[in-house]
Amino acid sequence: MPLDADDAPRPTLRRPVLRTLRLGFVPLTDAAPLLAAQELGLFDAVGLRVTLSAEPSWAALRDKLAFGALDAAHLLGPMPIALAAGLTGVRAQVTIAAGLGANGNTITLSNALMQELGRTPRPLPAASFGALVRRRATAGRPPLTLAVVFPFSSHNYLLRHWLAQGGLDPDRDLRLTVVPPPMVAQRLAEGEIDGFCAGEPWGSHAAALGAGRIALSTGDIWPNHPEKVLAFNTGYATRDPESATACTAAVIAAARWLDEPGNQAEAVAILRRRAFPKLASAEIAAAFQGTAEGLPLAAPLRFHNATFPRREQAAWFLRQMRRWGHIPAAVSDSTALAPWRQEIWRAAAARLHEAEPPAPPPPPSSPRSSPLGDSLEHA
């Protein structure tokens, strides 16, 4: 139900509705700015008619955005780099107008693995996990299998960074596999994987199922790291700059609304209705409450300050892609980071009288004691 003008920041209506904007998302808690913008009438307020399309996987969403079946999408932070470089055979120059959230992922491990780790603090130290993996290898046991949601994702690169901190080579000491977010909890319950790194509410859902325990969050690895972004398909922002700016303004307003503690219950209700009808409200609420299995997170999911699209943050993901050999050396930094367009955010924020958010903490650096060396990160 749309809010009254006093209840939420409302962007300025610039023109009558002209067309429908097709906007895709993967069911995750950090899709909340898109779902809330529609439910609160914020897209209507800027003259946009928006259809939201829930996609089953990141690969499906990527293809629809790249080939024009979607005008815009909730996208993994490193995915625009992969698209600009034409990785996996799909090349597209999307436009990043805003961030959609910071933090919000968990590393969840099976009950058996948590028991094997024994009494350890939370967040789980990388050194403790590394020692366990080496003990298993010495005993001749098969390598552990951990899932990430997509090869070119914050989940993959933050997990790899954490594993390397524990003295592990992710490509030799473990088996990393890809599982779409809605399927990770079930795969863990069935014993097909030993753990996963995925966005909420899927870690909380796995814990509620009794399939595993949350060992740490990605915010413990890089506090307030960028997560998903609002991406427009090739040329959209040039063909229809007003729609791109209006959509971005609605998303910024929704992000501000989501970070107000008094709106938490309604935000949970929106997500349950629109994205997670089969999940308990408590599983969805954990991310908004900033908890993992009832324990407070040092860096919980947040929305408003993450809306400013920072190219320097995206550059960390690019360095990780180079570090792990995921992107050709011939792809320049300028090509890889070209999708980030702060001028769209600034134009949208001006309609809301928004100031640029404060700069977040810097990204982590790779310790020189890493078995792969710090120099590879900056190669």
Side-chain angles (χ1 to χ4, degrees), residues 201 205 208 268 272 276-285:
H205 180 55
V268 171
R272 189 161 191 248
F276 312 112
K278 296 182 180 180
L279 269 59
S281 294
E283 297 170 27
I284 304 167

Side-chain angles (χ1 to χ4, degrees), residues 154-376:
S154 61
H155 314 72
N156 189 16
Y157 297 118
L158 287 163
L159 176 62
R160 283 172 172 271
H161 180 83
W162 180 74
L163 293 170
Q165 284 184 316
L168 299 174
D169 182 336
D171 295 314
R172 294 185 179 183
D173 298 326
L174 304 101
R175 178 174 175 262
L176 297 185
T177 189
V178 172
V179 177
M183 299 172 63
V184 288
Q186 191 61 37
R187 293 282 178 87
L188 186 67
E190 292 169 352
E192 295 184 23
I193 57 176
D194 298 296
F196 64 80
C197 181
E200 281 286 79
W202 301 114
S204 292
H205 180 55
L209 288 176
R213 302 290 305 277
I214 296 173
L216 70 159
S217 76
T218 51
D220 294 317
I221 302 169
W222 177 5
N224 297 320
H225 67 80
E227 235 330 289
K228 311 304 186 301
V229 294
L230 173 64
F232 293 95
N233 72 16
T234 303
Y236 185 92
T238 301
R239 293 191 307 271
D240 193 347
E242 173 54 34
S243 287
T245 301
C247 179
T248 303
V251 166
I252 294 171
R256 184 197 296 173
W257 182 87
L258 286 164
D259 275 352
E260 290 293 331
N263 297 329
Q264 184 180 110
E266 179 59 18
V268 171
I270 289 171
L271 264 70
R272 189 161 191 248
R273 186 165 58 247
R274 298 297 302 271
F276 312 112
K278 296 182 180 180
L279 269 59
S281 294
E283 297 170 27
I284 304 167
F288 290 98
Q289 295 166 351
T291 61
E293 295 187 70
L295 297 177
L297 293 171
L301 176 65
R302 291 293 180 263
F303 298 98
H304 184 232
N305 284 351
T307 59
F308 188 65
R310 298 182 185 275
R311 187 174 296 186
E312 64 273 20
Q313 289 187 311
W316 187 83
F317 292 125
L318 175 58
R319 291 197 296 272
Q320 299 307 302
M321 295 170 82
R322 297 197 190 284
R323 175 186 187 185
W324 302 110
H326 292 176
I327 192 168
V331 177
S332 68
D333 287 8
S334 59
T335 296
L337 300 175
W340 275 260
R341 296 271 302 277
Q342 294 179 350
E343 70 272 18
I344 298 175
W345 185 94
R346 294 184 191 282
R351 300 184 183 183
L352 299 166
H353 307 291
E354 286 277 348
E356 181 180 319
S365 60
S366 299
R368 294 193 179 275
S369 58
S370 164
L372 299 172
D374 186 64
S375 61
L376 282 175

